[in-house]
Amino acid sequence: MNRYCWERAGKGRAEAAGFRVRSGLHFGCVTRVRRRNFAAADPGVVLSLLAITLHDAADGGGGSVIELSFSGGAAIRLDVECVGARLSDVSAPWPAMRRPQHER
């Protein structure tokens, strides 16, 4: 994914666009993956991640569900035994075209 580098954004410098960096997001202990409103086989699909939410599993088995919600109604649901996630930057930062206008 491409993420905005909030940690490098100048405080109070609204005119500065800041930086973006290519990152990987890994979830461990996943037992099932489901998707909604996008074709997994489409290599050209671009998804804009809006939120990551955690829910108790509906079956009462003690696991959890992590839902990644994307613009346009697309979603990925991960059934997990426990919550384990890691975000790693995998490229050098590059200048952003513009700074996001939403709250962090």
Side-chain angles (χ1 to χ4, degrees):
M1 77 176 92
N2 297 330
R3 74 170 185 87
Y4 185 77
C5 299
W6 287 104
E7 71 278 10
R8 292 190 63 176
K11 295 187 176 28
R13 295 175 42 213
E15 71 282 354
F19 294 89
R20 289 194 177 274
V21 66
R22 179 85 28 115
S23 301
L25 180 58
H26 172 85
F27 290 94
C29 303
V30 176
T31 59
R32 182 177 176 193
V33 177
R34 292 169 280 172
R35 64 177 165 75
R36 182 180 67 223
N37 294 336
F38 73 96
D42 182 359
V45 69
V46 175
L47 301 174
S48 295
L49 182 62
L50 302 175
I52 301 173
T53 53
L54 177 66
H55 309 279
D56 290 333
D59 65 6
S64 298
V65 176
I66 297 171
E67 184 166 359
L68 292 87
S69 301
F70 302 91
S71 60
I76 297 174
R77 292 178 62 94
L78 307 172
D79 292 356
V80 297
E81 296 172 351
C82 61
V83 178
R86 182 176 61 241
L87 177 69
S88 301
D89 293 341
V90 295
S91 76
W94 66 86
M97 297 295 284
R98 59 185 162 273
R99 184 181 180 134
Q101 297 300 310
H102 56 78
E103 292 183 32
R104 293 185 236 181

